[in-house]
Amino acid sequence: MRTRVLCLAALLAAGPAAALEPDVLFAKVSGSVWAIRTFDAQSRPLSAGSAVVIAPGRLVTNCHVLAKASSFVVRQENVAYGATLEYPDPQRDLCQVKVANFTAPPVALAPAGSARVGQRVYAIGNPRGLENTLSDGILSGLRGEEGERLLQTTAAIAPGSSGGGLFDSEGRLLGITTFAAKDGGSLNFAVPAEWLAELPARAKTALEARTSGADGNGRGAPAAGRPGAPRLGEVFEYVLIDGLTGTRTPVLYRVDRIDGENVSFNQGGRVEKADGRVVSIGAPIGGAFETASPPGGWGRPDLSAGMRWSADYVGPGSDRLRYQLDAAVLGTTELRVEGAPLAAWRIAYTGWMYVGVGSTAPAPHPFSATVFYSAELGRVVKFDAEYRRGAAGINREAVELVRIQR
């Protein structure tokens, strides 16, 4: 009896593990967070990201970090190792890689289901190539259905952070940082670390489906209603081009949920019907392509040469922007996406954008756009816009589809 009392007293005295000071936490886990550099077939640099050591000689990153790569390395400071892909799970954007003769210690994983809104969290990664950057915040939300929830956090991440670690206050891995909502303030997301245990089985299932051709091309089931409809896990990679400066910004739309005829991209930031009609744009990331989008989107499934219509609407980007546009279908043309020919309808939009500032009445400004819409994909593959807002001069923007990641 006395022994039981002593054991119970010891357990009560120990209590929950104490939260680590940020510098102690960083010293504990930073050696297990590495940078990833990818290269094309000619050994030219492609992209950069982050990776976390989860087992001896094994790291995990986001699959989109490895997209297009012919080879890649993991590195920290002046040390680099060649790495190879072991388990890909593109649907969840998790890829495990292996490295020979690699001695960096694995991190500890937080217990499954331990994530709670409001807890203090720390992100460690390589934003914009700045190796082993620490940021802190709170876990601000659990988004999605049970079993498929993403972790939302205010801990800052940026391009290059993808594949990094999101840690609890004890230095245990809660998730793998994945993406941030563009211009969304502190809307940053990670996939839960508990998914890592399922990686080998899910990678095997995906490989078997691909090699057996069970669905014809190895991808997930499409949305209902159209053979070429988006499939779960697909990423439509666009580039947003500033016509004045030439700045090119990647814009990614990832299919993360299909609910009947509704296809959700980027955790609901954009929702479309299976035939490509836009249902809602909650988090526009594509410039005027989205902030000026008409109800239903710039294209439609029933196009024919010579078709005309008019649209009078408030844009999804701001209730202070109203558009009055006339559309005309000019015919078809051939574009190329990833080198493959693609037929597209050419649609011309011309009219006015009414801009309201403060309490002043909205003033009209000319707006024009040329849209190239693929009936096969059910989406716009190229968008060119020109508009003027006050004395700021003419703005020119282009959005082009450059790749479909499957």
Side-chain angles (χ1 to χ4, degrees):
M1 179 66 180
R2 183 171 179 272
T3 301
R4 291 181 181 176
V5 171
L6 289 174
C7 290
L8 178 60
L11 289 172
L12 292 175
L20 301 177
E21 290 296 321
D23 59 334
V24 176
L25 182 145
F26 180 79
K28 177 181 179 180
V29 301
S30 60
S32 302
V33 181
W34 287 60
I36 281 192
R37 299 288 188 272
T38 68
F39 306 91
D40 65 13
Q42 286 74 45
S43 298
R44 294 173 298 196
L46 284 177
S47 63
S50 306
V52 181
V53 184
I54 61 166
R58 302 295 189 272
L59 301 91
V60 71
T61 185
N62 290 143
C63 293
H64 74 257
V65 172
L66 307 180
K68 298 183 179 180
S70 295
S71 63
F72 56 93
V73 300
V74 297
R75 60 172 294 168
Q76 194 176 88
E77 296 180 347
N78 295 322
V79 179
Y81 294 86
T84 57
L85 179 63
E86 185 173 30
Y87 297 129
D89 184 1
Q91 183 174 323
R92 285 179 166 176
D93 202 11
L94 284 174
C95 279
Q96 182 172 309
V97 304
K98 59 182 179 179
V99 182
N101 304 314
F102 187 73
T103 59
V107 298
L109 303 187
S114 65
R116 65 189 188 280
V117 175
Q119 73 179 98
R120 176 64 57 180
V121 293
Y122 299 86
I124 300 179
N126 304 282
R128 305 190 187 281
L130 300 173
E131 290 189 14
N132 267 347
T133 294
L134 172 72
S135 62
D136 70 336
I138 61 170
L139 190 66
S140 50
L142 300 173
R143 304 301 177 191
E145 297 180 351
E146 189 70 32
E148 292 295 331
R149 286 181 175 170
L150 294 184
L151 309 180
Q152 179 184 331
T153 178
T154 61
I157 63 175
S161 297
S162 294
L166 185 70
F167 298 91
D168 66 13
S169 59
E170 297 175 37
R172 301 175 302 184
L173 186 68
L174 271 175
I176 300 298
T177 52
T178 301
F179 69 93
K182 185 178 175 66
D183 300 325
S186 297
L187 296 177
N188 309 307
F189 296 88
V191 296
E194 57 205 62
W195 287 1
L196 300 180
E198 303 174 21
L199 247 175
R202 288 176 60 88
K204 180 181 178 182
T205 299
L207 179 61
E208 289 174 347
R210 185 178 297 275
T211 55
S212 67
D215 70 349
N217 54 17
R219 293 181 286 160
R226 186 171 59 83
R231 295 169 182 260
L232 195 62
E234 280 187 329
V235 178
F236 292 86
E237 180 182 340
Y238 287 80
V239 61
L240 172 63
I241 306 169
D242 186 317
L244 300 181
T245 66
T247 302
R248 300 170 67 89
T249 304
V251 178
L252 306 180
Y253 298 101
R254 181 178 186 270
V255 181
D256 49 38
R257 183 177 180 182
I258 296 176
D259 185 8
E261 291 189 352
N262 285 344
V263 182
S264 174
F265 299 80
N266 301 348
Q267 297 300 306
R270 181 182 180 93
V271 179
E272 299 177 2
K273 290 293 185 183
D275 62 8
R277 289 174 295 159
V278 176
V279 176
S280 64
I281 301 175
I285 58 175
F289 170 61
E290 290 194 298
T291 59
S293 176
W298 296 99
R300 45 202 288 184
D302 60 344
L303 295 176
S304 61
M307 180 184 290
R308 295 177 177 271
W309 66 89
S310 297
D312 187 337
Y313 59 97
V314 174
S318 170
D319 58 6
R320 300 292 291 170
L321 293 175
R322 177 187 166 201
Y323 298 85
Q324 287 183 333
L325 303 178
D326 295 316
V329 181
L330 304 180
T332 59
T333 188
E334 184 180 282
L335 301 178
R336 287 188 172 270
V337 176
E338 297 183 274
L342 188 69
W345 289 102
R346 184 183 179 196
I347 312 167
Y349 283 85
T350 56
W352 301 94
M353 174 176 66
Y354 292 82
V355 182
V357 179
S359 59
T360 62
H365 302 279
F367 183 99
S368 63
T370 303
V371 174
F372 297 86
Y373 178 85
S374 166
E376 178 184 345
L377 297 179
R379 62 193 315 100
V380 173
V381 293
K382 186 177 180 182
F383 172 86
D384 293 296
E386 182 175 296
Y387 56 95
R388 182 190 296 273
R389 296 178 65 170
I394 296 177
N395 293 281
R396 295 186 179 91
E397 289 183 10
V399 173
E400 297 180 11
L401 179 64
V402 294
R403 185 169 183 254
I404 303 175
Q405 302 177 23
R406 298 186 169 100

